Amino acid sequence: MNQPAHQFASDNYSGICSEALDYLQAANVGDAPAYGNDEWTQRVADKFRELFETDCEVFFVFNGTAANSLSLSALCQSYHSVICHETAHIETDECGGPEFASNGSKLLLAKGELGKLDPTDVERLIIRRCDIHYPKPKVVSVTQATELGTLYTVDELHALRELADRHGLKIHMDGARFANAVVALSQTPADLTWRAGVDVLCLGGTKNGMAVGEAIVFFDKALATDFAYRCKQAGQLASKMRFIAAPWLGLLETGAWLRNARQANAMAAYLAERLKRFPGVRLMFPPQANSVFLELPESTVGALRARGWLFYTFIGVGGVRLMCSWNTTPQAVDQFVDDLAHSLA
Amino acid sequence: MNQPAHQFASDNYSGICSEALDYLQAANVGDAPAYGNDEWTQRVADKFRELFETDCEVFFVFNGTAANSLSLSALCQSYHSVICHETAHIETDECGGPEFASNGSKLLLAKGELGKLDPTDVERLIIRRCDIHYPKPKVVSVTQATELGTLYTVDELHALRELADRHGLKIHMDGARFANAVVALSQTPADLTWRAGVDVLCLGGTKNGMAVGEAIVFFDKALATDFAYRCKQAGQLASKMRFIAAPWLGLLETGAWLRNARQANAMAAYLAERLKRFPGVRLMFPPQANSVFLELPESTVGALRARGWLFYTFIGVGGVRLMCSWNTTPQAVDQFVDDLAHSLA
Amino acid sequence: MNQPAHQFASDNYSGICSEALDYLQAANVGDAPAYGNDEWTQRVADKFRELFETDCEVFFVFNGTAANSLSLSALCQSYHSVICHETAHIETDECGGPEFASNGSKLLLAKGELGKLDPTDVERLIIRRCDIHYPKPKVVSVTQATELGTLYTVDELHALRELADRHGLKIHMDGARFANAVVALSQTPADLTWRAGVDVLCLGGTKNGMAVGEAIVFFDKALATDFAYRCKQAGQLASKMRFIAAPWLGLLETGAWLRNARQANAMAAYLAERLKRFPGVRLMFPPQANSVFLELPESTVGALRARGWLFYTFIGVGGVRLMCSWNTTPQAVDQFVDDLAHSLA
Amino acid sequence: MNQPAHQFASDNYSGICSEALDYLQAANVGDAPAYGNDEWTQRVADKFRELFETDCEVFFVFNGTAANSLSLSALCQSYHSVICHETAHIETDECGGPEFASNGSKLLLAKGELGKLDPTDVERLIIRRCDIHYPKPKVVSVTQATELGTLYTVDELHALRELADRHGLKIHMDGARFANAVVALSQTPADLTWRAGVDVLCLGGTKNGMAVGEAIVFFDKALATDFAYRCKQAGQLASKMRFIAAPWLGLLETGAWLRNARQANAMAAYLAERLKRFPGVRLMFPPQANSVFLELPESTVGALRARGWLFYTFIGVGGVRLMCSWNTTPQAVDQFVDDLAHSLA
């Protein structure tokens, strides 16, 4: 009944990878205590601590909007503000979720090339006001990989940390596609997070091959005080938690989380490679993770859609976003490129 | 790795029933549009309209706290109030979820025997204040089946509707165990909801055999205006919606939703039947749905726990709650009763 | 155009006392910086520190609901709860103000004789739940003088502090009629607040003879972090702050704040004294501050109202509340008592 | 103790005008019912209906942030958005007040010359998204007079109304300096509000010569449903309401509200006239109401401050804002201009 894999619309169009599903089924034997008091949840939390090489606090919520909104609201009060890139998901695609969860915290929009925060512009936002008539900046939010498929280097993260320290701000990372960043940068999860100064990470499971469920990882454990209450109150505490915990364990234990990300990245690279050869097709950003942005004539966009291709023309950026996923195949890439060739012709 | 079925703790200790899992797996073939724009979601929404014999609006959220909190916040503003039974889940077990989602709506606690709202006490709460210094009552919330395992008859629902109409209130139904009520009362879903005056129903999937996912059914469609935005903002819009929609379809199409409820109810009846024969064991409420409440000496409670039995001693009520589920077996009942006999001896 | 002084309805029916008005007029000479950056605000803040014999943080807001709601929201997050007496103003007369300001914190209602918290019942509320499905108690709120015109002794305050310490709670004092308590108990403001363990005091100016304006005094200065932002965001930062600050200074510098309270208390005592002599009239509570509660037959209530007397029949308590104010006169008391005699006859 | 009138900082540095003070004192004779149930409040509400030539609903709150925040929250839910000019007070100077009161409604910032909304840019914001991942526009907020001292003509207001009608939006007017607009445009209050399509007006009293207190006028009475509860819950219901109502009546009955505005406007015009004669001084916007914006060298700004002059260098705009008030004198203008001449020399 589902759509054919005729799409580069989003990595959330893909289903559940086999490793996640296997663990979900394994967790479905017998009964288990609810609300995370089961062994799967305990195991996966330990696994996260091992993965990040530190004694962090781990929570699970249902989706990325919730992960970002609740973790940000743990970092700031209603009269504080969060600095993010103008293309950040928390600004453009969460329908005011952070403002709702925090009861009013404002997002301050910074600029920066390639979808990445420019520290100079972040600092401008921090220092331009110091009166009580404007929300006080309290958090810098980075997205890794960014909404434009680009990546912060470790050095860039350190620079933001240094800036945040100077002004007493916390650092939040939206890691809906964190796995894609890990494999693309060949860095350890620890080096890309707490060792680079990240206080809390929202780690995406859904786009990595799960049905549902994101992890929130607090590296600064003090920030996690009473956070379980916050999740519960916000309707984000799963009663049958094992069905989020076990698939996560499946991704981590089998290495699928990195394999899935690697496949998605590889397909984006392959797609970009093929696209570059077209005269007149311009890639908008360097495809560093699992998406490719390109400029196409309106008529070509229409022609591709007429052939059944699904993709987004990206809000606030213009151009076409082609998103690859853990289950994207070279055949799909080839077919898209062929259809593009026909459409351009 | 999970616990053995040595429990009467909760119906959310049970796993996923096979019908739900089968449909989840069927939905995992290929890609599908996100956010509910897939065919499974369309199909199950239509199925709900067929089931309820009316053109209702259906939304899916992740859990019961979210379903109750968001639907209530659609019915009242922050300065309004919701009248519920003092043992209602929205009062006792959602950590202030409704107050959070509504930005402050107060719950006014009514009394009533057997966990059911007494219309006289509800009216007392409605009329005792009419000044602006106290939140204005706007909603009556009923739980069907109740937290005490009892049921509202159709006549009782009509009486509350008549009362609500007289004072201009809406009626919300927390139906986390609605299926158990349907089979126990031998009534159609329509007769137990909109025909009895219910404006919005929160229909439980998790306790009925799913991994995650509750339905919110608006019979008064005007109340559903822009409700999709509310879900999105609150972090309750699943990107891979098909994995909530398809299991729901599985429950409904195969009849499992009623079979599961019937099994749970039957086990509770069997358990109650066996317990009644014990001298000195007193059932606290008539076991009309899938739970049995009984008074036990402290020492017996301890002895049963020592034998590995899991159950709740119920907050605000006292006594022991034994909750049956879709996968509770007569063997488990027998073993519990045997262990109880030993413990009492 | 105003009503004659034919009332025992409320101390907020009284106007502005001359000392407050004199200072308001003195502050109206020339221009002054806005938002509290004027000299009057600086002077009165220092005066408060002198009065309380400690280096406290002082803020001004417009009314009592705001003072209570904002100070409580500084003490707890949305998933926390506040324990107060079931007759507390924050519960019965602020239309959900605390829940709104805190985005959902629940009020837990404790019992206790004479409108005062019974520490045993407070502790019951603290310890009955320790799971994340119910808001975690974080604050004990006391009202001094209480809504029933009674007083906490210093020993009673210390007992609550000891209890709060044992469980890690903060203590908030609603002091809308704090001045009445100070004169009635013959204690220093310091002894009745921070030396008795109060973390934050909402100090009433309106009922003490001002037009508008309450003070919030943080004795635990850490709790006041960024509180000015909270006031601003909530619409509680006066631009022409001097017109709140100066009348406050007038009350404090001239001693009117105590004189006014003393007059109100004396009139209540005189009224109670005269009422006691009536056969069949029963005082409901010992009149320790500036109000008298008594039971009267319905017909007598009606007869007094027919003669133009204004007073409240008190919600949740029953009986008639007679509230004295800084401008209540013995003549008014005498006339009321005479009219009562006629009505009873 | 106050500052000398050596300031063009803000019209909220000025005190209370004599007409407002006279009425405040008149209202201070005897007692009066609280919470607006007094005759002054009744009289002034009727006066507003007469002034606006329509049966509107009138509420009083303490300040402009509250007026804007609460009225906007009556027009939209948390998942809706408000379109305003990027220099609007609700965006730049209320510390997230609207977002707090509405529990998260986003402000969408439109551009436009001279601080006025450009309908084309407003429409761009309305139509650029129609998905549930972004808050749905529900309100257009205009400021009259604007933050830059400019004015919407009646035709410009009608154009925005037409646009709002086409998309189903409401129109909110921030009228903190509405009186200045009325006298400058020589239009009736009705023609500048409901006849031009304004649904709700926040009408400023503070900057017009009062100590405290703004009026919220709902021309669309359906939007005012239960609004009194909202004010109460938000801590914006004055108990001694007469001390806000009576000064308002004083302003309106004596005509002071227009006289005060006329004086402020005249002083701004005089100031602008004198400034224009300076070579090298550039007025940034046409001074249509009571403020003048000009570009000055840094050194000149410093020199003027050294001579004791208070004024703002305006956030987000650059340049110096000189704000005139009801009590600004020609002598103050002359002295400022003389000092400027010295500073430039």
Side-chain angles (χ1 to χ4, degrees), chain A residues 78-79 90-96 99-100 103-104 106-107 129 131-135 315, chain D residues 78-79 90-96 99-100 103-104 106-107 129 131-135 315:
Chain A
S78 59
Y79 41 83
I90 56 173
E91 165 63 18
T92 64
D93 282 283
E94 300 186 351
C95 197
E99 292 91 336
F100 176 73
N103 197 19
K106 234 175 156 71
L107 304 187
R129 298 280 294 256
D131 58 284
I132 61 172
H133 303 269
Y134 204 72
I315 296 150
Chain D
S78 59
Y79 42 82
I90 56 173
E91 165 62 17
T92 64
D93 282 283
E94 300 186 351
C95 197
E99 292 90 337
F100 176 72
N103 199 19
K106 234 175 157 70
L107 304 187
R129 299 278 295 256
D131 58 285
I132 61 172
H133 304 270
Y134 204 72
I315 296 149

Side-chain angles (χ1 to χ4, degrees), chain A residues 197-218:
Chain A
V198 172
D199 294 300
V200 58
L201 168 70
C202 295
L203 179 44
T206 312
K207 286 165 178 164
N208 197 231
M210 288 178 57
V212 65
E214 314 285 291
I216 301 175
V217 186
F218 284 95

Side-chain angles (χ1 to χ4, degrees), chain C residues 209-236:
Chain C
M210 286 176 58
V212 65
E214 315 285 291
I216 302 175
V217 186
F218 284 94
F219 301 109
D220 179 344
K221 291 177 70 172
L223 296 172
T225 306
D226 288 344
F227 191 74
Y229 287 87
R230 190 183 291 275
C231 293
K232 170 65 196 180
Q233 184 178 41
Q236 292 290 336

Side-chain angles (χ1 to χ4, degrees), chain B residues 78-79 90-96 99-100 103-104 106-107 129 131-135 315, chain C residues 78-79 90-96 99-100 103-104 106-107 129 131-135 315:
Chain B
S78 60
Y79 42 81
I90 56 173
E91 165 62 19
T92 65
D93 283 282
E94 299 186 351
C95 197
E99 292 91 336
F100 176 72
N103 198 18
K106 232 175 157 69
L107 304 187
R129 299 280 295 257
D131 59 284
I132 60 171
H133 303 270
Y134 204 73
I315 296 150
Chain C
S78 59
Y79 42 82
I90 56 173
E91 164 63 19
T92 65
D93 283 282
E94 299 186 350
C95 197
E99 293 91 335
F100 175 73
N103 198 18
K106 233 177 157 70
L107 303 187
R129 299 279 296 256
D131 58 283
I132 60 171
H133 303 271
Y134 203 72
I315 296 149

